[in-house]
Amino acid sequence: MKSKAQPARWGGRLGKAVAFAAITVALCLAFNFLLVDDVHSYSRVMLDELYAQSGQIDTLFLGASHCYRSFDPAVVDEELGTHSFNAGTSQQLPDGSYYLLLEAAEHNDLDTVYLEMFYTGYNQQKSSDVPLACYLLTDYMPATSFNRYEYLWEMGGPAAFADLIFPARHTIASPDEIPELWIAKLTDGYEVGNYKYVTYPNEEEYRGNGFVYTYGVTPYGYGPILEVDPQAPMSDFGLTYLERITEFCAENEIRLVLVTAPVPNAFCANTANYQAYLSAVQDYADAHGLEFWDFTLYRDAENINMDVDAFADAHHLNGEGAERFTPVFCDVVKARENGVPVEELFFGSLEEKLASAPDGTYGL
């Protein structure tokens, strides 16, 4: 009798464990539906489009907000005949750029990657200091993606998976938004190509293929946000993932170009040791056979036309600035294709740029 009771006891425990797990999963799904605002997420809309265009993308832009607010793929494709995609996301760190590159390369035959190199991301000491930068991507990567789990593990270890299972820990909606959120989730909130939930009149709006158009100009001037350590212009964390991106592109015959979108000259002048960072990136590019295009140092100031009307804040382009800049970016791509030495299109240093052709913000 005793031997028969033992399996029954274990069977009862297993049944209770399964029931507990099922209830836990159901509660997580319920809480995520009721509380998590993923409908208004730029990164969700962007990743939905990225996967929807699998097999079509040949040109990829990677980076943080300076990427998705500066490069308009619609203009790039019209000018260059490419199928480009802007995979920039808020606060995207070098590890996020690396894992997005892996995701995009799994689904597309990439020809060129433009990596936007605004300095704050490459001064970051570790990814776990900004966990939301990771969750903005991993929340919306497919469940079948190995890159998703490797990225989470490298960012936060086992603790990061709690946020994967229960994203309400980091993306909870405000109470006044919940009724509209539920309606959106039950109707058209997740339709690919529907931008109404990521459109904010007179503020900013998502315009497709990762590009966000921003309205307005800064009322606060061009003060610095982080000075550069001249002894360590890039962190070990930044260099590690920059090297991984470089190696992956080389191994897969993808052309990698390091770029920075235009930043107000006044901001650069106000940021201590800013040139040390630019020099470090240029040294890295030279050592690895890469090109570095810093459009803050673009020579033809009249053509690029960066002034106070082109910037939404101390260091981001607004939509008008992006529409001025993107054609100039395309001009540089075409010049390179026609054999023009690209380095001749840029000043060699910030000091030379400020002395010879400062933009309309310098001195403000």
Side-chain angles (χ1 to χ4, degrees), residues 3 11 29 52 68 70 79 89 120-121 133 140 155 162 165 187 211 227 229 237 243 260 269 302 331 338 350 358 360:
S3 61
L29 291 173
Y68 72 77
S70 302
E79 292 276 340
T89 52
T120 54
Y140 309 118
M155 186 282 293
I165 297 167
T187 55
F211 175 58
E227 67 179 39
D229 180 355
F237 164 74
E243 288 169 353
T260 57
E302 184 176 348
D331 288 344
N338 291 327
L350 178 62

Side-chain angles (χ1 to χ4, degrees), residues 27-39:
L27 286 173
C28 284
L29 291 173
F31 277 120
N32 290 340
F33 175 84
L34 294 172
L35 301 177
V36 173
D37 185 359
D38 52 5
V39 170

Side-chain angles (χ1 to χ4, degrees), residues 316-339:
H316 288 97
L317 288 173
N318 59 24
E320 180 179 338
E323 299 305 346
R324 295 180 193 179
F325 161 62
T326 306
V328 173
F329 166 80
C330 294
D331 288 344
V332 172
V333 175
K334 287 185 279 191
R336 181 189 181 278
E337 291 174 349
N338 291 327

Side-chain angles (χ1 to χ4, degrees), residues 20-315:
F20 176 79
I23 292 170
T24 301
V25 170
L27 286 173
C28 284
L29 291 173
F31 277 120
N32 290 340
F33 175 84
L34 294 172
L35 301 177
V36 173
D37 185 359
D38 52 5
V39 170
H40 297 89
S41 169
Y42 286 141
S43 59
R44 179 194 62 78
V45 176
M46 181 275 288
L47 282 167
D48 284 350
E49 291 188 333
L50 179 70
Y51 293 117
Q53 295 176 38
S54 292
Q56 303 174 50
I57 299 165
D58 53 39
T59 302
L60 186 70
F61 295 89
L62 294 169
S65 52
H66 292 82
C67 180
Y68 72 77
R69 295 182 188 278
S70 302
F71 300 90
D72 184 351
V75 176
V76 172
D77 294 346
E78 182 178 357
E79 292 276 340
L80 302 178
T82 54
H83 188 117
S84 65
F85 196 92
N86 191 327
T89 52
S90 182
Q91 303 182 82
Q92 187 179 119
L93 297 180
D95 56 346
S97 297
Y98 173 69
Y99 282 106
L100 265 181
L101 171 60
L102 298 190
E103 281 292 288
E106 281 188 11
H107 300 277
N108 300 277
D109 184 13
L110 297 177
D111 175 68
T112 305
V113 167
Y114 295 100
L115 181 64
E116 212 289 327
M117 298 279 299
F118 188 67
Y119 77 107
T120 54
Y122 288 86
N123 275 270
Q124 198 71 41
Q125 296 302 313
K126 54 186 178 179
S127 183
S128 58
D129 288 340
V130 193
L132 187 59
C134 173
Y135 299 139
L136 284 173
L137 296 173
T138 54
D139 279 359
Y140 309 118
M141 288 178 176
T144 55
S145 169
F146 176 77
N147 297 317
R148 180 193 206 194
Y149 306 112
E150 186 173 7
Y151 181 18
L152 278 167
W153 180 263
E154 289 189 4
M155 186 282 293
F161 287 84
D163 285 276
L164 178 66
I165 297 167
F166 192 33
R169 285 161 49 103
H170 57 267
T171 55
I172 191 166
S174 62
D176 61 312
E177 295 173 337
I178 284 178
E180 178 200 357
L181 177 64
W182 292 349
I183 294 171
K185 286 189 174 190
L186 292 169
T187 55
D188 61 350
Y190 298 120
E191 289 181 2
V192 177
N194 177 13
Y195 303 153
K196 73 179 184 181
Y197 297 107
V198 283
T199 297
Y200 307 94
N202 302 317
E203 295 181 20
E204 59 187 26
E205 58 185 87
Y206 184 91
R207 289 198 172 181
N209 285 14
F211 175 58
V212 174
Y213 190 103
T214 307
Y215 295 93
V217 298
T218 177
Y220 303 115
Y222 305 97
I225 54 174
L226 176 72
E227 67 179 39
V228 176
D229 180 355
Q231 304 304 316
M234 284 195 283
S235 67
D236 290 341
F237 164 74
L239 277 169
T240 294
Y241 281 95
L242 179 57
E243 288 169 353
R244 293 179 75 175
I245 291 169
T246 303
E247 290 170 6
F248 180 84
C249 287
E251 290 169 0
N252 290 275
E253 299 182 343
I254 300 169
R255 178 169 161 259
L256 174 65
V257 181
L258 311 182
V259 299
T260 57
V263 177
N265 285 179
F267 175 84
C268 299
N270 291 332
T271 301
N273 307 309
Y274 189 79
Q275 180 61 51
Y277 175 74
L278 301 184
S279 297
V281 178
Q282 187 63 63
D283 289 346
Y284 180 91
D286 292 342
H288 293 81
L290 303 175
E291 295 170 75
F292 175 40
W293 303 351
D294 180 5
F295 282 91
T296 302
L297 305 185
Y298 188 69
R299 284 185 176 273
D300 191 347
E302 184 176 348
N303 185 31
I304 200 168
N305 190 22
M306 292 291 112
D307 57 19
V308 294
D309 293 331
F311 296 99
D313 56 30
H315 49 88

